[in-house]
């Protein structure tokens, strides 16, 4: 079993920065992806950023140039550096891990990010 625990959420003013971290425990190996999703009130959960075991990254158009995803394979962590935050970034952010070959998927409990104007 894989457990994911997010941290780093909080309240920040527009234009500020925040760094989210996700610590993974369990078997992290093979072809996989780690990603950050977010869900705002009344909206569907959406992909924010993804990084593969090979280092390839993908970002939602709304966060390109502002957010950076990275992973430390030795520590089994994935981080999301968020700069130039906007009120529309307000959401619960979830860490996601997926084994590509098997299709197994795991989620963290989420961490709240609130950006005030």
């Amino acid at each position: 079993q894989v457990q994911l625990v997010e941290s780093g959420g909080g309240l920040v003013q527009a234009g500020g920065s925040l760094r989210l971290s996700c610590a993974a425990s369990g078997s992290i190996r093979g072809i996989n992806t780690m990603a950050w999703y977010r869900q705002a009130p009344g909206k569907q959960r959406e992909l924010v950023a993804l990084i593969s075991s090979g280092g390839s990254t993908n970002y939602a158009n709304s966060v390109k140039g502002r957010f950076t995803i990275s992973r430390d394979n030795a520590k089994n962590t994935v981080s999301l550096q968020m700069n130039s935050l906007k009120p529309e970034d307000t959401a619960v952010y979830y860490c996601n891990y997926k084994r590509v070959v098997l299709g197994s998927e795991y989620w963290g409990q989420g961490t709240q990010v609130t950006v005030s104007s």
Side-chain angles (χ1 to χ4, degrees), residues 93-114:
Y93 284 70
Y94 297 91
C95 183
N96 171 273
Y97 168 76
K98 183 177 182 178
R99 295 190 175 108
V100 175
V101 176
L102 296 177
S104 303
E105 195 168 20
Y106 303 88
W107 295 91
Q109 285 73 44
T111 185
Q112 176 71 47
V113 172
T114 302

Side-chain angles (χ1 to χ4, degrees), residues 21-64:
S21 294
C22 174
S25 62
S27 182
I28 308 298
R29 58 189 177 184
I31 303 172
N32 65 75
T33 62
M34 299 194 77
W36 288 96
Y37 287 73
R38 68 186 181 188
Q39 188 166 24
K43 297 183 178 180
Q44 292 187 337
R45 190 171 298 184
E46 64 174 347
L47 175 67
V48 177
L50 178 148
I51 184 166
S52 72
S53 50
S56 299
T57 59
N58 290 107
Y59 296 93
N61 288 333
S62 60
V63 306
K64 285 183 178 178

Side-chain angles (χ1 to χ4, degrees), residues 3-23:
Q3 285 82 236
L4 305 173
V5 180
E6 303 99 332
S7 63
L11 175 65
V12 65
Q13 291 186 326
S17 298
L18 209 59
R19 189 170 192 267
L20 306 182
S21 294
C22 174

